[in-house]
Amino acid sequence: MAAPAINKAGQTGGPGSADNAVQSLTLGKALNLGLRAAMEADPKVLMMGEDVGKLGGVFRITDGLQKDFGEHRVLDTPLSESGIIGTAVGLAVRGFRPVCEIQFDGFIFPGFDQIVSQVAKLHARTRGRVKMPLVIRVPFGGGIGAVEHHSESPESYFAHTAGLKVVSCSNAVDAYWMIQQAIQCDDPVLFFEPKRYYHSGNMKAEVDTNATPIPLFQSRVLRQGTTATVVAYGPSVKVAMDAATAAQEEGKSLEVIDLRTLSPLDLAPVYDSVRRTGRLIVVSESPSEASLNSEIAAKVQQECFYSLEAPVLRVNGFDVPYPPAKLEEHFLPDLDRVLDAVDRSLAW
């Protein structure tokens, strides 16, 4: 029998799908339901972090979980990221599957040593005897008008660290499935969530909880095109899709790829696309220097050199500390900057 087709949302439909299993969800609610499903499926799954219990997290992603699963499985912790992650390491060694919430992206750095020195290395240090099934959830990116340390994009630090898996969802469907897949993974996963879209009504999507998701470490073509390829992840995916819609009105056909997985990178669909379009624009909110965008540009130019009609162009946040809220709209990549990059690529 032929395999069922994967729809645009990355779910595999089929006869087993029930109508009442399809829900219209925001990204934040999809994460909440995904966490709930993981806790129901495995009693070894634990939630821990600052205010994740009674409050349900500052973004309410863990809302209702402590009430339903108890304080022994949803733990309010002290304000100590190093302590949260260090405790989770011990729990993972003992066979649990802890899910840590870092309240804001900029708060992850006090736990940096635990992540790169312990979480990333224990499996190799013990020659595979100790597994590290640990997930660290990180609300990341700008666009919420926050103060310093609340709008960072630190994903490149962790994608650079051997021993870690790094992924980022961009929509409600991926949020629901990817968080469950990350929890099921026996390797440590940094799970980056675009917090500006947690509760956006415009980002609601139909989530079929009976569907079969695509694999966790796989990128996906969201929109086919022939003029140029645009690659993005996390909060920048919506920017890329909006740019493709605007470009279509000008007679340009942009192919948009959502990376989804940042380490390991799944660039086969990107190579295939660039060999057809001859042009690539890579979009993310992080500073451009030594970023994931840099790595993607280098690999594409290495693998697709004779197919390129122009240099790979990067559209990033600027190489400055994240600015005050009133200036962030000038810092973040937007539709106009992506379209300008497309025009520069076509003019080459």
Side-chain angles (χ1 to χ4, degrees), residues 51-64 76 101:
D51 299 317
V52 300
K54 291 182 179 179
L55 183 65
V58 293
F59 294 106
R60 303 300 188 267
I61 304 303
T62 53
D63 188 39
D76 280 317
E101 177 179 294

Side-chain angles (χ1 to χ4, degrees), residues 8-9 54 81 90 95 107 128 132 184 205 236 266 271-272 281 304 333 339 342:
K8 290 182 179 179
K54 291 182 179 179
E81 286 72 23
F107 299 175
M132 192 51 48
Q184 293 164 4
S236 298
D266 175 29
Y271 299 153
D272 177 68
I281 291 88
C304 306
L339 293 179
V342 171

